[in-house]
Amino acid sequence: MLADLVVDAAGRNSPVGRMLRDLGAPGPVEQRDESGFLAYTRYFRARRGTESDVPLWPSAHYESVSTVSCAADAALRSVSFVVSRRDRALRAMHREQLGNAVLRLFPAEARWAGDGEPVTRILAMSGMESRHRDHLVDGLPVGTGVLSAGDAWATTNPLFGMGVSLGLLHAALLRASLRSRDAGDPQELALRFGEATEKVLSPNRRHLGAWDRHRLAGMDHPVRHPRARYEPGDRDWEFRRTLDTVKLRDPCLLRVAAAGAALLAPPQETVGDPALVDRVLGLGRSTERPWQPGPSRTELLAAVGAG
């Protein structure tokens, strides 16, 4: 079958790169960043009358773990604990009794789960890698007549839940490119689409990748250096970590965080606002801990029997 254009929307495991190389084309340059996170998730069905009771913000970040609380169709909800795969002491969380002991240390997540009946055991998820395929090499497309969109172009940490939003934005960029005057020239179309992707979507991809690296290093830090805080000296990271902690204390900052999470504002817009950065860091200086108040690592280890 012949076509003027093939849109690769085959997801993170798309075979299109291999197919291009089989045809003699160079294929996209692929970069994989193993994030090193493990997630332990359990699903619940909400009890009647509690279906609309959802957390004000779905994720929270603590010293050694992050949590994600999600609502879904048919009154289903889930609670996930995200840890470093190098933190072997916390791997016992996949056992129901120990996972429940950890859950009780987090009142908000425990209440969310407690209002529902478990419908699964605790499920483990690994391989939460970020992946990027660059289809422009040395300023030239690796192939013409084929464009990759969504997860076939790049994937990010599922903790953020941005995959669908990034895919929809990418589809809108593809539509705009196909409506441009360059649409009739396969090479120009590939160049313009690649440039638009780099300008609009790549800042988010790079921002999430940097967050992964710092968050994972911060989770691993108390294992190796239990008496010292993780201080990488990165102002952008300090700002985003602090914004995560204080966003629910200031309506203006909550709107900023929500706009970023919904991809309504590019990452550089918030980091580039000196007044906003000072406001966030000023609130952060009054906090006792650099993350959400919650159980210490010592308490987590005691809950899983490793303390």
Side-chain angles (χ1 to χ4, degrees):
M1 181 181 294
L2 299 178
D4 293 327
L5 175 67
V6 173
V7 177
D8 172 19
R12 65 163 60 224
N13 295 317
S14 168
V16 168
R18 172 178 52 78
M19 295 167 69
L20 285 171
R21 285 185 284 271
D22 288 346
L23 293 171
V29 176
E30 185 170 299
Q31 175 186 345
R32 297 191 186 193
D33 298 316
E34 176 56 55
S35 65
F37 293 106
L38 288 175
Y40 296 102
T41 302
R42 196 170 197 186
Y43 290 85
F44 304 82
R45 193 175 303 279
R47 292 189 178 93
R48 186 179 297 276
T50 67
E51 296 89 346
S52 62
D53 181 18
V54 298
L56 183 59
W57 195 270
S59 61
H61 306 291
Y62 303 91
E63 181 183 23
S64 293
V65 302
S66 292
T67 63
V68 185
S69 303
C70 294
D73 295 335
L76 286 176
R77 56 180 56 167
S78 67
V79 175
S80 300
F81 285 91
V82 182
V83 303
S84 168
R85 68 185 176 119
R86 288 182 280 273
D87 195 343
R88 295 184 176 276
L90 295 183
R91 290 190 181 184
M93 289 172 58
H94 76 279
R95 297 166 56 187
E96 182 174 338
Q97 182 177 358
L98 300 183
N100 289 340
V102 170
L103 179 62
R104 287 193 289 270
L105 297 177
F106 298 83
E109 289 78 6
R111 182 186 62 80
W112 173 247
D115 285 339
E117 296 290 341
V119 294
T120 70
R121 58 184 176 84
I122 297 175
L123 307 173
M125 176 182 175
S126 61
M128 298 165 62
E129 66 180 12
S130 297
R131 184 183 301 184
H132 169 235
R133 297 183 178 100
D134 193 347
H135 290 259
L136 295 180
V137 178
D138 295 329
L140 294 174
V142 298
T144 56
V146 58
L147 301 175
S148 292
D151 282 359
W153 162 71
T155 59
T156 54
N157 190 334
L159 186 152
F160 297 101
M162 290 186 178
V164 172
S165 298
L166 286 169
L168 290 173
L169 282 174
H170 214 184
L173 292 178
L174 175 59
R175 179 185 61 183
S177 298
L178 291 174
R179 290 177 173 177
S180 73
R181 63 182 181 182
D182 298 321
D185 184 326
Q187 179 160 314
E188 284 301 311
L189 174 62
L191 288 172
R192 298 291 83 77
F193 182 60
E195 291 167 357
T197 298
E198 177 64 23
K199 179 180 179 180
V200 178
L201 299 187
S202 285
N204 291 289
R205 176 183 61 78
R206 286 192 288 268
H207 157 61
L208 296 179
W211 194 98
D212 280 353
R213 291 191 295 274
H214 279 300
R215 179 60 174 140
L216 192 60
M219 283 179 162
D220 291 336
H221 191 76
V223 179
R224 300 189 300 267
H225 310 285
R227 298 184 182 277
R229 285 175 53 166
Y230 175 65
E231 300 288 355
D234 185 326
R235 184 172 171 82
D236 286 356
W237 162 249
E238 181 72 10
F239 166 76
R240 298 198 178 282
R241 178 199 60 74
T242 307
L243 178 60
D244 273 332
T245 305
V246 304
K247 61 181 179 292
L248 298 182
R249 293 166 49 188
D250 185 310
C252 175
L253 299 184
L254 180 58
R255 286 192 292 271
V256 169
L263 301 181
L264 298 177
Q268 61 269 28
E269 185 174 301
T270 52
V271 177
D273 184 341
L276 180 63
V277 172
D278 289 343
R279 186 171 184 171
V280 170
L281 297 181
L283 275 175
R285 280 190 285 271
S286 65
T287 60
E288 182 179 349
R289 296 183 180 183
W291 293 104
Q292 296 285 355
S296 66
R297 176 168 175 77
T298 301
E299 292 172 303
L300 283 174
L301 293 177
V304 298

